[in-house]
Amino acid sequence: MSATYRVTGMTCGGCARSVESAIKAVSADAKVVIDLGKAAVTVDGATEAQVKQAVDEAGFGFEGKA
Amino acid sequence: MSATYRVTGMTCGGCARSVESAIKAVSADAKVVIDLGKAAVTVDGATEAQVKQAVDEAGFGFEGKA
């Protein structure tokens, strides 16, 4: 089951790739889709707590479910 | 003692902040200075292995000492 979160501070494709990598570092099998324009990160295969930890450690702003 | 590493894939300030945050997540007291134009990351207070782990997990390219 996937969930979509609002993540602030991503300004380019490198930022988006960084968020995706950070999430996969805490949950290797997660599927991640990022909509940069909407600041939306959709994740399948990781808990909200895992996503929050990954986003925090990567230096972006986790704002909960979108 | 600080060391400078070459890190590829950083294209904006958000990327640079992400690398800094990832390094501080593995070594909280590290001091990090990033020169985006030179793809150079100077770190004081973390080992090369810690920096490599952080950069890898953040989805950027760790290319060793600059």
Side-chain angles (χ1 to χ4, degrees):
Chain A
M1 201 187 73
S2 70
T4 299
Y5 306 97
R6 181 171 164 79
V7 175
T8 58
M10 299 184 295
T11 55
C12 74
C15 295
R17 192 177 56 243
S18 176
V19 167
E20 180 174 350
S21 292
I23 292 169
K24 289 183 174 175
V26 296
S27 181
D29 295 330
K31 287 176 185 162
V32 181
V33 177
I34 296 179
D35 183 326
L36 205 53
K38 291 181 180 168
V41 178
T42 301
V43 184
D44 194 353
T47 66
E48 180 167 346
Q50 287 175 318
V51 175
K52 181 181 188 311
Q53 180 197 338
V55 169
D56 284 347
E57 289 186 1
F60 297 95
F62 182 84
E63 301 201 350
K65 291 242 171 72
Chain B
M1 201 186 73
S2 70
T4 299
Y5 306 97
R6 182 172 164 78
V7 174
T8 58
M10 299 184 294
T11 54
C12 75
C15 294
R17 192 178 55 243
S18 177
V19 167
E20 179 174 350
S21 292
I23 293 168
K24 290 183 173 175
V26 297
S27 181
D29 295 330
K31 287 178 186 159
V32 181
V33 177
I34 296 179
D35 183 328
L36 206 54
K38 292 181 179 168
V41 178
T42 300
V43 184
D44 193 353
T47 66
E48 180 168 345
Q50 286 175 317
V51 174
K52 181 181 188 311
Q53 180 197 338
V55 169
D56 285 347
E57 289 186 2
F60 298 95
F62 182 84
E63 301 200 349
K65 291 239 171 72

